[in-house]
Amino acid sequence: QQEFKLQIAKIKDERKKQIVERVDQSMDNLNDRMVKHFTQVLDKTEAVLKRVGDRIDRAEERGADVASVRPLIDEAIKAIGAAREAVRVQAGKTYTIKVTDEATLKNRVGEARQLLRKDLKVVQDAVKAAHEAVRKVAVALAQLPKPSPSPSVSPSPTVSPSPTESPSPTPTPAQ
């Protein structure tokens, strides 16, 4: 931050100084907001995975074969971990505009903004991958065949047909 102040001092035009300082501050604010947003999204995604995991456990207790779904849970946990690591790395980054002279100032500001945009896109892709992995777990759970009822469950009573008398032919009067 102190280095940035020294670089800004090189700019003679006061208006340009203020713009560069404002852009630098807004990039830091954007990075902080996006890190908080991605963290919240991952918290929600993790909560959904926990609920889906609980449903898988209940399905297994009822006799469903959940062996095909368990590996997907592990993949989702790894994807969430990778996304959290990407967010942690992004939180530690700062974007400083390298000011050399006023002629290249616009390009330097553009480069710093592009770098921030590119880094945020990497984190966003990691968060999307985690979300997709959790979605796959939920879809796989929904596609599991339902277990047949166990013999301990008594079948519902059925009504058996009662014997009925067949109608006797009515005698016809002789003519």
Side-chain angles (χ1 to χ4, degrees), residues 111-147:
E111 290 169 0
R113 292 182 67 189
Q114 282 297 106
L115 181 61
L116 171 63
R117 187 174 296 126
K118 185 183 92 174
D119 288 348
L120 287 175
K121 179 70 173 145
V122 168
V123 176
Q124 181 183 24
D125 290 345
V127 171
K128 280 184 179 180
H131 181 269
E132 181 63 20
V134 171
R135 191 189 72 75
K136 283 181 183 178
V137 174
V139 167
L141 172 63
Q143 292 175 346
L144 283 178
K146 303 291 183 247

Side-chain angles (χ1 to χ4, degrees), residues 26-66:
S26 71
M27 286 191 323
D28 289 342
N29 291 341
L30 175 63
N31 191 42
D32 290 343
R33 277 195 329 268
M34 293 307 293
V35 163
K36 287 177 186 169
H37 170 71
F38 290 140
T39 301
Q40 290 173 343
V41 169
L42 287 173
D43 289 344
K44 290 177 184 178
T45 302
E46 212 167 43
V48 168
L49 180 61
K50 182 179 178 337
R51 288 194 308 268
V52 170
D54 291 344
R55 285 179 48 207
I56 290 170
D57 291 342
R58 287 195 306 269
E60 187 175 37
E61 289 170 4
R62 288 191 309 266
D65 181 20
V66 296

Side-chain angles (χ1 to χ4, degrees), residues 66-106:
V66 296
S68 62
V69 181
R70 295 283 180 199
L72 295 176
I73 291 176
D74 294 336
E75 289 177 25
I77 291 170
K78 287 177 187 172
I80 290 172
R84 284 204 184 275
E85 179 60 21
V87 170
R88 188 191 64 74
V89 168
Q90 184 62 34
K93 290 185 178 182
T94 57
Y95 296 87
T96 305
I97 300 169
K98 307 273 191 281
V99 179
T100 52
D101 57 15
E102 288 189 43
T104 61
L105 187 59
K106 184 176 181 179

